Amino acid sequence: MRIPPPLFISITVSLAALSCGGAPDVKLPPVDWEESASRGSDAFAGETPVSGTWWLAFESPALDTLIRAALVRNHDLRAAAARVEQAKAEARAAGAALWPQLNGGLAASRSRSVIIGIPIPGAVSPITAYSNRFSLSADAAWEIDLWGRIRSAKSSSLARFEGSQVDLAAARLSLAATTARLWFALSEAEMQRTLAEETVASYSSSADRIRRRYQLGVRSPLDLRLAESNLASAEALLAAREDQRDALAVSLQQVIGAYPDASFRGAADLPSPGEPVPAGLPSDLLLRRPDVVSAERAVAAARAQASVARRALLPSISLTGSGGTLSDQFADLLDGDFSVWSIAGGILQPLFQGGRLRANVALADAVHDQSLAAYLATALGAFGEVELALRAEPRAAIQVRSLMKAAHEAEAAKRLAENQYDNGLIDYITLLESQRAALNARSQAITARRAALDARLDLVVALGGGFDSARDDFEDFLAVEVTE
């Protein structure tokens, strides 16, 4: 599938038309997909929305439980959620500057003064006087956002907040995919361990038969030694499989926030990858991938911040006002006869700051250019990931079918070799080769089944979610309810 070059030109043009009223709204262009000859009807053509609970397609209650536990208990995800709250608070703080600032005050003071040099008949010099001062005031200040500098700062903060929300969605998607991947790997390890255990039992039985026949003089010492060596290798393989299972169990427990005691056990069998990939997948990939949307929000934030830097070159207009009462008696503070007030306005125009303001403009423009380049690179990477994932799906299915057939034939060949060896028609080396071939074929078939599940997970992540028509888009993933 070839990505048309005009797509990236239209993306650039759309990003140059950012709005600065609220959070900058960057409208992503529709994606002009070209039909891929290699995919035929499986190319991007339809509008099948992605799913918020895509893992349910695997029909594994255990996997559903694990993912929901991870979404609640994972500490990295909690940190991402805290960053969303941090960005939300920053956006609220940035928007507060649009409103007048109002403060109330109550003050009291008592002073002692000395009067010197004023002749007062009968008075003893110096003269000491005491005075009280009480005030009740309300002070207001407001910077009139005539040029939109404060609104642009608010827009930038809102874009960063929206980006943090999308980052949280991406973290949830990644965590769910990681949990599923570990669960499938653990289930594969459990199946490989079971296969190794069955192999040890089979080789042990075979070695016992050969040992008895050797004692009767029917079999040669070579057959016995080869059988004992084969059994020892199978026992070593079983121990290695158990180590792999325990390591994966610990990793899975750490991801879901459980104590890592390696007590988890995988499923006895791997699930199927689910329904085939629909003929029509979302053509608006850029609107669904959390990382792409996050990169777009970064461009919007940088664009608004560049506007802030430019408008800092313009004059700032401020109004201040104060009103209240002033008296030397506390009881008079609520008496209107003692009221005082003041009002003032001012314009402040930067004249010379050593080039700092213009340097800030150049810096903001460079950050915007950097974020735009990063966005285009992220979009291109997203297309590439989907392309590879779409091609990996059918190939993984072919590998599963082929290796399952190979395992079936190798197992049948092993049984035939065992019968022929028992009847003295073949030597033990031929039997040994057939046993090892059957073990390897069955092991490879199990690995291929897990690889097919990983291929489906790669496609899910590349699309920003699943492709269940019951869901709208990846934002539903944020709304998945989880409980302890």
Side-chain angles (χ1 to χ4, degrees):
M1 184 184 302
R2 185 175 60 84
I3 301 171
L7 167 65
F8 295 100
I9 299 176
S10 59
I11 290 175
T12 305
V13 172
S14 68
L15 290 175
L18 293 170
S19 168
C20 299
D25 186 13
V26 179
K27 295 294 185 182
L28 294 176
V31 182
D32 183 15
W33 290 97
E34 291 187 356
E35 183 103 4
S36 172
S38 62
R39 291 291 301 172
S41 62
D42 290 339
F44 284 79
E47 292 296 333
T48 306
V50 296
S51 170
T53 50
W54 46 266
W55 59 86
L56 297 179
F58 295 109
E59 298 182 350
S60 172
L63 177 60
D64 181 47
T65 300
L66 288 170
I67 289 180
R68 291 180 183 273
L71 293 177
V72 171
R73 301 175 184 171
N74 185 267
H75 299 296
D76 292 336
L77 192 61
R78 289 182 175 181
R83 286 192 291 271
V84 172
E85 293 301 317
Q86 175 184 344
K88 180 180 179 181
E90 290 175 350
R92 290 181 60 187
L98 288 169
W99 297 90
Q101 309 300 304
L102 183 63
N103 297 296
L106 175 63
S109 65
R110 179 175 175 80
S111 62
R112 175 180 180 271
S113 59
V114 177
I115 301 175
I116 301 175
I118 299 178
I120 299 177
V124 178
S125 183
I127 301 174
T128 301
Y130 296 89
S131 63
N132 299 324
R133 184 183 180 90
F134 300 95
S135 65
L136 180 65
S137 65
D139 303 314
W142 183 31
E143 180 179 348
I144 301 176
D145 192 27
L146 182 63
W147 318 114
R149 179 181 59 83
I150 299 176
R151 291 193 298 273
S152 295
K154 177 184 177 182
S155 296
S156 180
S157 295
L158 284 175
R160 287 193 293 270
F161 166 57
E162 291 165 351
S164 69
Q165 287 183 304
V166 179
D167 290 340
L168 176 60
R172 290 169 66 93
L173 174 62
S174 177
L175 176 61
T178 298
T179 303
R181 211 179 296 275
L182 284 172
W183 171 246
F184 295 150
L186 179 60
S187 298
E188 181 208 355
E190 189 67 43
M191 295 174 67
Q192 296 282 13
R193 191 206 64 82
T194 300
L195 174 60
E197 193 174 50
E198 293 174 356
T199 301
V200 167
S202 175
Y203 287 4
S204 177
S205 176
S206 178
D208 288 341
R209 291 197 306 271
I210 293 175
R211 187 180 301 106
R212 287 193 298 269
R213 294 186 180 188
Y214 167 75
Q215 292 172 349
L216 294 175
V218 179
R219 295 299 180 197
S220 66
L222 177 61
D223 288 358
L224 178 60
R225 291 188 179 278
L226 288 174
E228 294 289 357
S229 174
N230 204 30
L231 174 59
S233 297
E235 290 172 341
L237 177 62
L238 175 59
R241 296 300 192 193
E242 289 177 342
D243 284 343
Q244 293 172 358
R245 179 196 62 186
D246 291 347
L248 288 167
V250 167
S251 296
L252 181 57
Q253 287 175 308
Q254 290 173 334
V255 166
I256 69 169
Y259 183 78
D261 59 358
S263 61
F264 273 18
R265 293 294 178 263
D269 193 14
L270 287 167
S272 68
E275 296 295 327
V277 178
L281 287 178
S283 63
D284 53 349
L285 171 64
L286 293 180
L287 295 177
R288 300 178 185 274
R289 287 267 306 218
D291 57 341
V292 176
V293 178
S294 177
E296 177 269 328
R297 289 289 82 195
V299 175
R303 176 76 175 187
Q305 197 60 41
S307 178
V308 173
R310 283 186 173 82
R311 292 168 185 180
L313 297 170
L314 301 174
S316 61
I317 303 174
S318 61
L319 297 175
T320 59
S322 177
T325 55
L326 179 65
S327 175
D328 59 358
Q329 298 294 325
F330 184 80
D332 295 334
L333 290 181
L334 300 179
D335 190 340
D337 292 337
F338 295 89
S339 62
V340 294
W341 59 268
S342 67
I343 186 170
I347 298 179
L348 181 64
Q349 169 63 56
L351 296 179
F352 177 76
Q353 297 191 10
R356 179 178 60 86
L357 295 180
R358 295 196 178 277
N360 287 341
V361 172
L363 174 61
D365 287 341
V367 171
H368 173 261
D369 293 343
Q370 177 188 5
S371 62
L372 178 58
Y375 168 70
L376 295 176
T378 302
L380 182 60
F383 283 116
E385 289 178 10
V386 174
E387 291 281 5
L388 291 177
L390 286 173
R391 284 162 172 74
E393 273 265 331
R395 293 168 183 167
I398 292 174
Q399 291 181 32
V400 170
R401 290 194 298 269
S402 299
L403 289 174
M404 291 290 288
K405 180 179 180 181
H408 175 76
E409 297 297 336
E411 190 66 24
K414 185 193 76 169
R415 291 194 297 268
L416 182 60
E418 289 174 343
N419 290 333
Q420 290 181 349
Y421 178 77
D422 290 341
N423 293 324
L425 300 178
I426 59 174
D427 57 18
Y428 186 70
I429 293 179
T430 303
L431 172 60
L432 186 61
E433 290 177 350
S434 66
Q435 288 176 332
R436 290 175 176 173
L439 172 61
N440 290 335
R442 291 180 63 185
S443 177
Q444 290 175 3
I446 294 172
T447 300
R449 290 181 60 193
R450 196 262 301 165
L453 291 169
D454 284 348
R456 174 55 60 91
L457 287 176
D458 291 340
L459 180 58
V460 166
V461 174
L463 292 173
F467 28 81
D468 184 357
S469 59
R471 295 287 181 176
D472 289 331
D473 52 37
F474 78 91
E475 290 181 358
D476 291 315
F477 191 44
L478 277 173
V480 174
E481 294 184 1
V482 290
T483 56
E484 291 279 3

